[in-house]
Amino acid sequence: MLERDLQRLFGFQSFKEGQKEIIEAFMAGNDVFAMLPTGRGKSLCYQLPAFLAEGLTIVVSPLLSLMEDQVAQLKKAGRKQVVALNSFSSKQERQKLLQQVNDYKIVYLSPEMLQAQDVVNSLSKQQISYFVIDEAHCISYWGHDFRADYLRLREVKALLDHPPTLAITATADETVRADIKNQLQLREPVEILDRVNRENITLFVEKYETTEQKMIRLKQIVQQYELPGLVYAQTRAQAEWYCEQLQRDCPELSIGYYHGGMDSMDRMLVQEQFLSNQLDLICATNAFGMGVNKQDIRFIIHLQQPLDVASYLQEIGRAGRDGLPSLALVLLSPEDPFYASRLIQNRVEERGSLEALPHILAMPFTNKSELRIRLEQSYGEQGQMILFLLEKWGVIVDDKGTWKNQHETITKLKAYFEKQEQTRQQRLDTMTVYSENHNQCRRNLLLRPFDEHARLQANCCDICGATLDSFQKQKQQPAKGLFQWDEELAYIFNQLYIERGTKGE
């Protein structure tokens, strides 16, 4: 019985909603696509099957900090047969781990690490019980955190002889779900979709004329409302600037910042400080939070217009995992729509014209890795996507720089990036409707892309009458049996008066 295994291995008495259905389908040998809301315990859906299986489970995870955190939690729970293989591992550590990989039940890897030939060769010799793609929306062209390295996972899956595969995420609309299943070539997958709605999170939007007014409001919230909290900014510079302002004006609080430009060890340190309650607040970009298992975050604040509904739902879903009331607030100012539109524009033509691609490919190269680096230097992160599409479309590239259908290929690339930008703009438009509306329930607007409708509830959103008053810090009451200071002084004077009266003074 799975409940007995759950109790024995993890100490839990029962499953959360959706977990058991996913586990049973996965352990029956099916490919599974699952969507569970943030905080519902997605990791248990593959950890329990992994420890019950004979062979090795491979978990593909997008963030180093997420891998390290899950490994640490499992080891703390007494599950020692787990390891993360990532860029923190030295060459010697990596070789040793690969030699001893059959001693483990779970190996966490980044999609980039699965492109290393020695890693794939070693894993292909093992008995692979399960193949898991965590945060599976990253594999979709149209997902909010798309990463080109995820697209090669189906090749790895084939090299591992197509083990039962679980693709799991918190938010994916119908288009993204279809793309994930197609990219991973899931075979008649069992699809288990839970509700996206988190009823204990109350939704608010406030508008201010200037950034200065927004900053004043932010200071009020962090000083007057229940902590801990998480504040999202759109750029690295903004995350640092807001952090500095709050540190200066709120010295009673411990505040840090987090973004992708920081050193990996510094990011992990900030995350650990937040998890261990050494920090009251983090100002971060969207690089922070994926998979972070902190139960008591009381508020999520976005300082600019969020770019799409799926990422916004995932980010606010980091609040209130303990089930207690929490709030999600967007602070808007007039310039936000302009900057949001700029952020969703593809930068491939800004980095380098696609018309220069034939020249780049004509330069001799010894292997695909060298070509990939060259494309990244010319086109940034989009260089990975260009190389993947060239391979997918059958464009022949060799070390002599020959490739076919040059003009046709460049036209297709431009069309692809234009479509991607149009999709982003449509998603931004949906999020703008959420922020600008004055008469429709905000919760229903968020849930509409997921074909979900909110049930009537108290503390739904500001449009439905919710207020922020209930989220303010509770004034500490004096301990039972003790007076307030003014009451205590009155008591002392009264006792003196009685005493003097007794003595006849």
Side-chain angles (χ1 to χ4, degrees):
M1 187 175 174
L2 282 175
E3 280 79 6
R4 285 199 296 268
D5 294 320
L6 180 69
Q7 167 72 22
R8 175 175 60 86
L9 292 170
F10 293 94
F12 299 132
Q13 297 292 332
S14 60
F15 291 101
K16 293 182 179 179
E17 185 179 350
Q19 286 180 325
K20 187 173 182 180
E21 292 83 353
I22 295 169
I23 291 169
E24 288 178 333
F26 198 29
M27 291 181 65
N30 299 293
D31 284 351
V32 179
F33 177 88
M35 190 170 76
L36 283 182
T38 302
R40 188 64 66 76
K42 295 189 296 294
S43 57
L44 184 74
C45 295
Y46 53 80
Q47 289 171 351
L48 181 60
F51 285 107
L52 295 175
E54 290 292 328
L56 179 68
T57 294
I58 296 172
V59 180
V60 183
S61 182
L63 294 176
L64 301 183
S65 55
L66 173 56
M67 284 188 261
E68 296 291 342
D69 180 56
Q70 294 204 357
V71 168
Q73 288 187 45
L74 284 169
K75 288 186 175 180
K76 186 176 179 180
R79 311 269 70 82
K80 306 296 185 183
Q81 294 172 288
V82 56
V83 70
L85 181 56
N86 52 48
S87 58
F88 285 159
S89 310
S90 67
K91 186 176 180 179
Q92 292 76 17
E93 290 172 333
R94 177 164 148 182
Q95 290 175 343
K96 183 178 179 181
L97 188 151
L98 292 175
Q99 291 170 358
Q100 301 174 345
V101 71
N102 58 351
D103 294 335
Y104 296 99
K105 285 291 187 182
I106 302 177
V107 176
Y108 285 89
L109 303 106
S110 66
E112 294 82 3
M113 188 61 66
L114 278 173
Q115 294 192 46
Q117 198 60 50
D118 61 331
V119 173
V120 175
N121 289 342
S122 177
L123 294 175
S124 65
K125 299 173 184 176
Q126 306 301 316
Q127 178 186 351
I128 306 300
S129 300
Y130 302 112
F131 190 63
V132 179
I133 296 87
D134 201 3
E135 308 296 349
H137 57 274
C138 295
I139 202 173
S140 173
Y141 293 140
W142 318 113
H144 53 276
D145 286 316
F146 170 71
R147 286 169 64 167
D149 283 309
Y150 264 73
L151 294 173
R152 305 179 190 277
L153 294 181
R154 62 180 173 190
E155 300 170 12
V156 175
K157 189 164 73 87
L159 290 171
L160 301 177
D161 199 23
H162 299 283
T165 299
L166 168 65
I168 191 164
T169 184
T171 51
D173 60 26
E174 186 175 355
T175 300
V176 172
R177 294 198 298 268
D179 198 30
I180 291 170
K181 289 181 282 189
N182 177 55
Q183 295 299 337
L184 283 172
Q185 295 181 339
L186 299 183
R187 298 164 299 182
E188 299 181 357
V190 176
E191 195 167 21
I192 300 172
L193 308 177
D194 205 338
R195 292 177 293 109
V196 173
N197 188 23
R198 291 279 306 281
E199 295 180 350
N200 64 313
I201 300 174
T202 308
L203 308 172
F204 300 91
V205 175
E206 294 180 358
K207 297 180 181 180
Y208 296 93
E209 289 302 315
T210 66
T211 300
E212 289 72 22
Q213 291 175 347
K214 194 186 290 186
M215 187 72 239
I216 292 170
R217 179 58 171 148
L218 178 61
K219 291 174 187 175
Q220 290 176 341
I221 293 170
V222 302
Q223 289 177 320
Q224 298 175 11
Y225 289 65
E226 293 289 346
L227 295 164
L230 182 54
V231 175
Y232 279 108
Q234 281 180 340
T235 69
R236 297 170 181 181
Q238 288 170 346
E240 293 191 23
W241 185 82
Y242 279 102
C243 177
E244 290 167 0
Q245 301 301 307
L246 291 172
Q247 287 174 334
R248 183 193 66 194
D249 295 338
C250 309
E252 72 279 9
L253 300 178
S254 297
I255 303 169
Y257 65 84
Y258 184 108
H259 58 67
M262 298 166 60
D263 177 83
S264 297
M265 292 302 295
D266 290 338
R267 293 200 305 271
M268 290 188 67
L269 175 62
V270 171
Q271 178 174 306
E272 185 55 38
Q273 288 174 328
F274 190 55
L275 289 171
S276 60
N277 299 318
Q278 296 175 44
L279 289 175
D280 300 303
L281 185 78
I282 288 183
C283 297
T285 63
N286 60 6
F288 180 83
M290 194 181 291
V292 171
N293 186 23
K294 186 168 176 63
Q295 300 293 309
D296 60 345
I297 297 175
R298 296 274 68 90
F299 63 76
I300 306 286
I301 297 175
H302 284 73
L303 296 170
Q304 291 87 23
Q305 172 69 62
L307 302 183
D308 68 81
V309 170
S311 58
Y312 184 64
L313 277 170
Q314 188 167 53
E315 286 161 5
I316 68 174
R318 288 156 194 158
R321 291 189 176 192
D322 52 11
L324 297 179
S326 305
L327 71 94
L329 170 63
V330 179
L331 298 180
L332 292 178
S333 52
E335 67 273 15
D336 285 348
F338 169 77
Y339 289 116
S341 293
R342 285 285 295 162
L343 283 169
I344 66 171
Q345 291 174 5
N346 274 311
R347 302 300 170 87
V348 62
E349 291 283 0
E350 290 183 14
R351 292 291 300 264
S353 171
L354 286 172
E355 303 296 342
L357 189 59
H359 173 71
I360 294 170
L361 296 176
M363 298 168 62
F365 55 90
T366 56
N367 53 52
K368 290 289 179 61
S369 295
E370 185 179 327
L371 176 58
R372 174 178 171 175
I373 292 171
R374 188 181 301 163
L375 288 170
E376 287 177 350
Q377 289 172 343
S378 299
Y379 299 106
E381 292 182 2
Q382 300 283 23
Q384 295 183 38
M385 192 66 219
I386 291 171
L387 179 58
F388 174 81
L389 292 173
L390 292 177
E391 294 174 338
K392 179 182 178 182
W393 294 337
V395 175
I396 297 174
V397 183
D398 59 27
D399 58 3
K400 297 178 182 178
T402 58
W403 58 306
K404 63 182 181 181
N405 303 327
Q406 293 186 16
H407 179 74
E408 178 186 342
T409 300
I410 291 172
T411 301
K412 288 175 68 175
L413 283 171
K414 287 184 175 181
Y416 165 79
F417 288 119
E418 286 173 4
K419 183 178 180 182
Q420 195 178 54
E421 187 171 327
Q422 289 170 2
T423 301
R424 290 190 181 124
Q425 183 62 54
Q426 291 168 359
R427 289 178 172 173
L428 175 59
D429 292 343
T430 302
M431 198 67 221
T432 301
V433 170
Y434 168 87
S435 301
E436 296 292 338
N437 105 92
H438 301 286
N439 52 25
Q440 297 185 66
C441 170
R442 295 197 196 279
R443 192 175 302 272
N444 273 327
L445 289 175
L446 282 184
L447 298 177
R448 188 175 295 165
F450 301 90
D451 299 321
E452 191 173 323
H453 192 278
R455 297 176 291 195
L456 289 175
Q457 64 171 87
N459 296 320
C460 176
C461 68
D462 50 359
I463 301 298
C464 295
T467 67
L468 286 163
D469 295 344
S470 60
F471 296 97
Q472 293 191 16
K473 292 178 181 176
Q474 300 296 314
K475 292 182 180 179
Q476 289 191 350
Q477 300 295 323
K480 191 173 182 179
L482 297 179
F483 295 116
Q484 298 273 23
W485 67 270
D486 52 345
E487 293 175 333
E488 189 169 356
L489 283 176
Y491 174 79
I492 292 172
F493 281 119
N494 188 51
Q495 289 300 108
L496 286 172
Y497 176 78
I498 295 172
E499 186 177 343
R500 284 180 177 180
T502 304
K503 292 179 179 180
E505 296 180 5

